[in-house]
Amino acid sequence: MRKLLSCVGAQSVNFWKLQASTTRTSQGLFRIQAQDPAIDDSGYASVPVTPASFPEYTFTQPLDHFHNTTNATFGQRYWINTRHYQPGIGTPVIVIDGGETSGADRLPFLDTGIADILAKATGGVGVVLEHRYYGDSVGVSDFSTDSLRWLNNEQALEDSANFMRNVKFEGIDEDLTAPNTPWIYYGGSYAGARAAHMRVLYPDIVFGAIASSAVTHAALTNWEYMDVIRLEADPVCSANLVRSVAVIEAFLKVPYLRNTVKGLFNLTDLESDQDFVSLLTYPLGSWQGKNWDPAVGDTSFDDFCDALNGNTSTVAESHKEVELPGGPRVNIALLNYAKYIRENIVASCPTDAGFTIEECFGTNDASLYQATDLSQTWRLWAFQYCTQWGYLTTAPPNRNTPTIISHLIDVDYAHKICAQAFPPGDHFIVPRLPDVGAVNVLGNFDIAEDRLAIIDGEIDPWRPDTPHSQYYAKERPDTILRPFKLVPGGVHHWDENGLRNSTAEPQEIRLIHEQEVAFVQAWLKDFKNARQSPAKSV
């Protein structure tokens, strides 16, 4: 996937396909013709940056760093910003981890975002480093199970380490390799977890790291994601969602009402009730696309809530009902919900080209998920969550907890894409369940290290999987050496983007950027002092 979505699983692949131009093949399958516009894992569209502003370079990496299973290599793309570079002063390198998207999607953060902010304050060099297998940093001929076996946390982390130890920047005579130069590693979301892991696993070459919205806790299930949205959304919208889901579940249990409720959404031809209710979760994932900058933020969730609420302005009114033909009564918001889904999701199915609703939104045909050509980029993040990261979105396990998604969405349903898309290969078999322990052993909620900053958003739906988890993590102090900061009202790595005119940023964003500059500058003083007094430990 091109973004770290809450709605993992086969249905999310269906959405991915519908967002691209598609045609029917002789086998009735989708063939992807073009990618959706650049969307990063924060969920918002990237601000265009002229490629000439930051020339593209490649660094040769082995496909397998550790096990001698292949001699193949690939060119890992990177871009550099030298506009603030001051040679000969112990200048740092600020590297942004590209994460699970094309590195080109990160260029705005090299131009006016966190890399530029820190480089300007320190006379440093900014870098965006693309993640293996994403964008054009691809060293395989297809995305089959065997070809993806080198797409894991261990190999990708070593890519970054190898790059930092050996890269020679064009146009810069000074040796800026680690550990002789202080490298500050930044990442957001999945890349944020990687930033934290880099500081823990490679303390000799990663002098400091900023882990923003860092999902350092890998989880088999991720019900908390939707629970954050339920708790933080407009109360009327949240109440309307909870009530609507309860009514839908009740109707689906009654044979003569099952098609009635599906018919409201124009989905009577969708065979599986699980596919039906999973389809209804799609608007909820846009919550994480909220951003303080309206130029890049996604307002889809608020638009959805406005449509859902309609004329209901209080929680009490969210229970108002109307009678349907034949006698059943439903809350008004459910009718609004159905209208929104009909017009914004069901209508995207190209039935005029001969597709059926089942082909667009059904998930039972495994053959629809087995194309492995390089255009099938959805397979990359799917492979990662099927093997190591998990995050299978389900309803709360406690039936007494209100929910905005149906209890029909269980682990088996969310996980079935892993067997459908990744049959056993000759050299690799996807585990029965994601091996989340391989991630969590690196620190989990308690991950900590000197010069490792933890930055999270107060209402980020991914916060439950970060060291700021309001469900599971412990409180800890916020210090210069170990910054631990929560952005008020913040969603998903809100500190990563910035404005050229920083005075125009909201106060909470301007403040977190100032704090990041302050603690990075303090860290760099430690580096210089250590170099001047080699006997002292940093």
Side-chain angles (χ1 to χ4, degrees):
M1 298 295 294
R2 293 182 65 81
K3 58 180 177 176
L4 187 58
L5 287 171
S6 62
C7 49
V8 299
Q11 193 66 269
S12 68
V13 181
N14 292 344
F15 295 143
W16 181 89
K17 291 178 178 180
L18 287 171
Q19 289 172 355
S21 298
T22 57
T23 58
R24 178 184 290 277
T25 71
S26 59
Q27 292 80 30
L29 306 180
F30 289 107
R31 176 175 290 128
I32 303 303
Q33 302 291 349
Q35 295 291 338
D36 198 39
I39 303 290
D40 73 19
D41 66 18
S42 61
Y44 52 80
S46 301
V47 178
V49 174
T50 305
S53 302
F54 305 110
E56 176 187 312
Y57 301 97
T58 58
F59 178 85
T60 301
Q61 294 277 15
L63 194 56
D64 183 357
H65 288 280
F66 305 109
H67 308 298
N68 298 316
T69 57
T70 178
N71 293 321
T73 61
F74 69 97
Q76 186 174 26
R77 291 198 302 176
Y78 67 96
W79 298 259
I80 62 173
N81 173 357
T82 60
R83 63 170 69 122
H84 306 297
Y85 169 58
Q86 297 178 36
I89 65 167
T91 187
V93 178
I94 316 297
V95 59
I96 291 182
D97 187 300
E100 75 290 17
T101 186
S102 167
D105 294 350
R106 305 299 191 192
L107 293 184
F109 312 135
L110 192 62
D111 187 36
T112 62
I114 190 64
D116 188 70
I117 291 166
L118 294 177
K120 182 178 181 180
T122 60
V125 173
V127 178
V128 165
L129 183 62
E130 190 166 69
H131 193 293
R132 62 168 47 209
Y133 284 83
Y134 290 89
D136 287 339
S137 296
V138 180
V140 293
S141 59
D142 60 48
F143 291 149
S144 64
T145 302
D146 277 342
S147 293
L148 291 172
R149 68 187 187 274
W150 301 286
L151 176 55
N152 58 49
N153 205 33
E154 181 186 33
Q155 297 282 1
L157 290 170
E158 183 61 24
D159 286 341
S160 296
N162 190 39
F163 177 83
M164 295 165 66
R165 294 188 190 106
N166 297 291
V167 67
K168 305 295 182 185
F169 295 123
E170 185 173 315
I172 295 179
D173 295 329
E174 188 176 11
D175 181 2
L176 296 183
T177 56
N180 297 318
T181 295
W183 282 66
I184 308 297
Y185 203 103
Y186 179 95
S189 193
Y190 159 67
R194 286 173 44 76
H197 294 162
M198 287 296 298
R199 178 69 187 119
V200 169
L201 293 176
Y202 298 93
D204 56 324
I205 59 172
V206 178
F207 185 72
I210 302 175
S212 183
S213 296
V215 288
T216 55
H217 172 70
L220 179 60
T221 62
N222 195 31
W223 66 268
E224 300 91 343
Y225 181 102
M226 293 297 180
D227 201 47
V228 171
I229 298 173
R230 175 183 68 85
L231 293 169
E232 301 296 343
D234 165 67
V236 177
C237 181
S238 183
N240 277 322
L241 277 168
V242 170
R243 178 63 177 163
S244 296
V245 167
V247 171
I248 290 168
E249 286 192 330
F251 275 35
L252 290 175
K253 293 176 182 177
V254 180
Y256 78 92
L257 293 178
R258 179 172 174 267
N259 280 343
T260 299
V261 71
K262 284 187 174 182
L264 295 176
F265 294 82
N266 283 355
L267 290 170
T268 52
D269 292 336
L270 193 56
E271 179 181 338
S272 165
D273 291 348
Q274 289 179 304
D275 289 341
F276 170 58
V277 294
S278 73
L279 187 66
L280 308 189
T281 70
Y282 186 69
L284 309 182
S286 60
W287 174 275
Q288 75 179 57
K290 290 173 173 283
N291 192 264
W292 58 267
D293 182 359
V296 298
D298 184 354
T299 63
S300 298
F301 186 88
D302 293 334
D303 296 340
F304 166 68
C305 273
D306 288 344
L308 184 72
N309 290 347
N311 295 325
T312 58
S313 58
T314 68
V315 172
E317 288 177 323
S318 69
H319 291 269
K320 285 186 176 179
E321 294 184 336
V322 295
E323 186 172 318
L324 297 179
R329 299 179 65 83
V330 299
N331 53 310
I332 294 173
L334 178 57
L335 299 182
N336 295 334
Y337 199 169
K339 183 174 186 290
Y340 184 92
I341 296 295
R342 290 197 309 267
E343 294 179 352
N344 293 278
I345 297 178
V346 178
S348 67
C349 181
T351 54
D352 55 348
F355 287 92
T356 66
I357 292 296
E358 184 67 26
E359 286 177 307
C360 287
F361 304 117
T363 67
N364 290 327
D365 185 353
S367 68
L368 293 175
Y369 308 106
Q370 292 177 357
T372 61
D373 62 89
L374 296 183
S375 72
Q376 309 296 321
T377 55
W378 64 267
R379 295 178 64 83
L380 303 177
W381 180 243
F383 183 82
Q384 290 190 262
Y385 69 69
C386 286
T387 52
Q388 291 186 314
W389 292 85
Y391 304 130
L392 305 176
T393 305
T394 63
N398 186 338
R399 288 275 179 157
N400 293 323
T401 302
T403 179
I404 59 174
I405 68 171
S406 172
H407 292 94
L408 291 175
I409 303 174
D410 57 17
V411 172
D412 289 342
Y413 177 77
H415 182 261
K416 72 177 183 178
I417 184 65
C418 300
Q420 291 174 315
F422 306 110
D426 294 330
H427 305 286
F428 187 84
I429 297 175
V430 170
R432 186 180 66 84
L433 290 173
D435 181 16
V436 296
V439 174
N440 293 335
V441 72
L442 301 178
N444 210 328
F445 295 116
D446 296 325
I447 195 166
E449 188 67 60
D450 289 352
R451 297 187 302 278
L452 169 58
I454 304 295
I455 315 291
D456 288 303
E458 182 182 24
I459 59 173
D460 185 353
W462 288 103
R463 180 182 165 188
D465 298 301
T466 75
H468 270 105
S469 174
Q470 63 272 61
Y471 295 82
Y472 311 113
K474 302 172 185 175
E475 282 294 325
R476 58 173 96 173
D478 172 25
T479 67
I480 288 290
L481 198 57
R482 295 187 174 192
F484 191 68
K485 301 182 183 295
L486 194 64
V487 178
V491 188
H492 208 42
H493 48 98
W494 271 19
D495 62 312
E496 191 163 12
N497 57 307
L499 301 178
R500 200 171 302 281
N501 175 16
S502 61
T503 62
E505 296 172 356
Q507 181 178 358
E508 65 274 14
I509 301 303
R510 194 164 63 251
L511 177 61
I512 191 62
H513 286 160
E514 290 171 355
Q515 291 173 334
E516 287 171 320
V517 166
F519 65 65
V520 167
Q521 288 177 332
W523 294 350
L524 294 176
K525 287 181 182 178
D526 289 344
F527 184 87
K528 292 178 182 178
N529 291 338
R531 288 298 178 268
Q532 293 168 0
S533 304
K536 291 184 180 181
S537 171
V538 299

